[in-house]
Amino acid sequence: MEQRISLITLGARDINALSAFYDALGWQRTPSPDGVIAYDLIGQTLGLYPLDKLAEDIGVSPDQLGYGASTFAYNVPAKEDVAPLLARAEAAGAKILKPAQDVFWGGHHGYFSDPEGHIWEIAHNPFSPLRHDGAFRWNGYADD
């Protein structure tokens, strides 16, 4: 198995409200089958799917899915980019969990949760420069 993630699917209790949130962040939908909302990312896709249908597909009850202890990170090229993106998320309906601030390891970040509780980090990591197209790699893209 190769080290990659192709698709991240968020189970949505209210898919219309959740997709409106991501639309308000400025993300563009890509054509997809009825019942699925997809946003192509750099190298992956984020999918929104009704929670009850996701649970049915997995073969468990929706209650078993609950909220996972996971976060999704969106890295930015500069420290100054963190706070405006947190503000944009808040204006779109996010709850700010941690405002933009310096981190002990030398970066700068903040956290928000989307309307259904999925947690996102907006981060600048000076030790992992982004590629020109925004792609992230743990040790950066210094020469690309």
Side-chain angles (χ1 to χ4, degrees), residues 36-54:
V36 178
I37 295 172
Y39 302 89
D40 279 337
L41 311 175
I42 298 171
Q44 301 90 25
T45 296
L46 177 73
L48 307 180
Y49 195 57
L51 184 65
D52 58 335
K53 297 291 186 186
L54 181 60

Side-chain angles (χ1 to χ4, degrees), residues 1 21 26 36 51 65 68 75 83 93 95-96 106 111 117 122 131 141:
M1 183 172 175
F21 170 79
V36 178
L51 184 65
L65 296 180
N75 282 51
K95 176 182 178 185
I96 302 300
Y111 287 92
I122 305 295
R131 194 169 62 193
Y141 285 95

Side-chain angles (χ1 to χ4, degrees), residues 36-103:
V36 178
I37 295 172
Y39 302 89
D40 279 337
L41 311 175
I42 298 171
Q44 301 90 25
T45 296
L46 177 73
L48 307 180
Y49 195 57
L51 184 65
D52 58 335
K53 297 291 186 186
L54 181 60
E56 180 182 319
D57 188 44
I58 296 169
V60 299
S61 75
D63 293 340
Q64 283 183 268
L65 296 180
Y67 292 103
S70 61
T71 63
F72 303 99
Y74 181 90
N75 282 51
V76 294
K79 175 180 178 175
E80 297 76 28
D81 297 330
V82 175
L85 285 176
L86 288 170
R88 183 173 184 169
E90 186 173 34
K95 176 182 178 185
I96 302 300
L97 302 175
K98 182 179 185 180
Q101 57 193 266
D102 290 336
V103 187

